[in-house]
Amino acid sequence: VNRGWLKIGLEEDFAADLTVVSAGGEKILICRLAGTLYACSARCPHAGISMKHAEIEGTILTCPLHGWRFDMGEAGAEIHGYRGLATRNVKIEAGAVYVNEQS
Ligand code: FES
């Protein structure tokens, strides 16, 4: 359920593969993967380190610390069945990027 949308910037602010923003008091990782923007928690659900330097392969982010792998194309699910990354919906409207508030 989407409670509302938070504007986090303009589309050109997210040209990099991975960008961290603050939204609603939380750090959010914006991922540009194969041209599509995804949003998730910027903290790995394993030991909480930043995902800012995750490795990218297709839609999969690999945590640099212990290698948990999250598929953003599958709502952040961890591919071994460990805890997934909490994802947010993203929308782009008139060149501005929004993420939904945490539900
Ligand atoms: S902190 Fe990410 S896999 Fe351990």
Side-chain angles (χ1 to χ4, degrees):
V1 176
N2 289 343
R3 286 189 180 160
W5 294 97
L6 299 167
K7 183 177 174 180
I8 55 168
L10 300 176
E11 209 178 348
E12 63 250 36
D13 298 333
F14 304 104
D17 293 343
L18 298 175
T19 307
V20 175
V21 297
S22 290
E26 199 196 339
K27 294 233 186 286
I28 305 287
L29 184 70
I30 306 300
C31 320
R32 180 177 289 280
L33 306 174
T36 299
L37 289 183
Y38 298 90
C40 60
S41 168
R43 299 219 165 273
C44 180
H46 179 216
I49 74 149
S50 173
M51 292 292 291
K52 185 172 165 52
H53 301 292
E55 278 178 39
I56 296 170
E57 192 183 329
T59 58
I60 295 176
L61 302 180
T62 300
C63 177
L65 197 52
H66 311 102
W68 284 23
R69 306 184 77 205
F70 307 97
D71 192 346
M72 295 305 292
E74 299 291 340
E78 206 288 327
I79 66 163
H80 309 94
Y82 302 143
R83 283 189 302 283
L85 268 175
T87 56
R88 306 288 190 97
N89 294 326
V90 177
K91 74 171 180 180
I92 300 171
E93 242 174 49
V97 179
Y98 300 80
V99 296
N100 72 292
E101 292 184 64
Q102 202 163 28
S103 52

